[in-house]
Amino acid sequence: AVLADHERTFEALARLTALYEREERWADLVGVLDQKKELLDTGEKIALLQQVASIVETRRGDVPAAAARMEEGTLLDSQRTDLLEEAARLYEKAEMWTGLMSALDRLVPLTQDAERLVAIHNHRGSVLSERLERQDDAIEAYKSERALAPEHMPTLRALETLYDATQRHRELVDVLEKKAELLPDEQVPHYLRIGALWEEKLNDDDQ
């Protein structure tokens, strides 16, 4: 009897889904799909959450609600990088910076591709410095990126800016020396700045 009731409920929801989709009643469709979700196993539930997130984003323009659906999917399967990537995209589109950082942080240990990992750390650094104004944490993110790609110029420029802003003069000199090595045509201004730092800042730091 319970199984029969389950099947009848599922059939009724399927009919409503088809009706609301055909009539473009998106709010009603999302409501029905949310009910249907409770009848599914984990894999099917995640697929439905992806569907709902797409409808909510593209048909209703509610990006935060779409992000919430994708976040629910990530909690059902925390190893699915595709779900975290999509959650990150939605969080960024909705300017939900804390949620974006959470998704990016969870991607780090799951990402095997070095190039993609460099990009994730770069993304983390930019959000931390520009959106959340957490300069120290941004420096750590960029340092993680630099460990993977020591000659990546955007990383060196970001660290230069952050070290300058936080008055980390020794670290700033290290970055400037690396930039001078990588950019022969710009060695003179870099070395002039390094000299000025030693004269004006680092000698004072040593006293």
Side-chain angles (χ1 to χ4, degrees), residues 167-198:
Q167 298 185 29
R168 299 190 185 191
H169 302 126
R170 291 187 182 280
E171 292 90 339
L172 177 56
V173 165
D174 172 67
V175 168
L176 291 172
E177 288 176 342
K178 187 64 177 179
K179 286 183 66 184
E181 174 190 331
L182 296 173
L183 300 170
D185 292 342
E186 299 179 22
Q187 282 186 349
V188 171
H190 281 110
Y191 283 129
L192 286 173
R193 190 174 180 202
I194 290 168
L197 283 167
W198 272 106

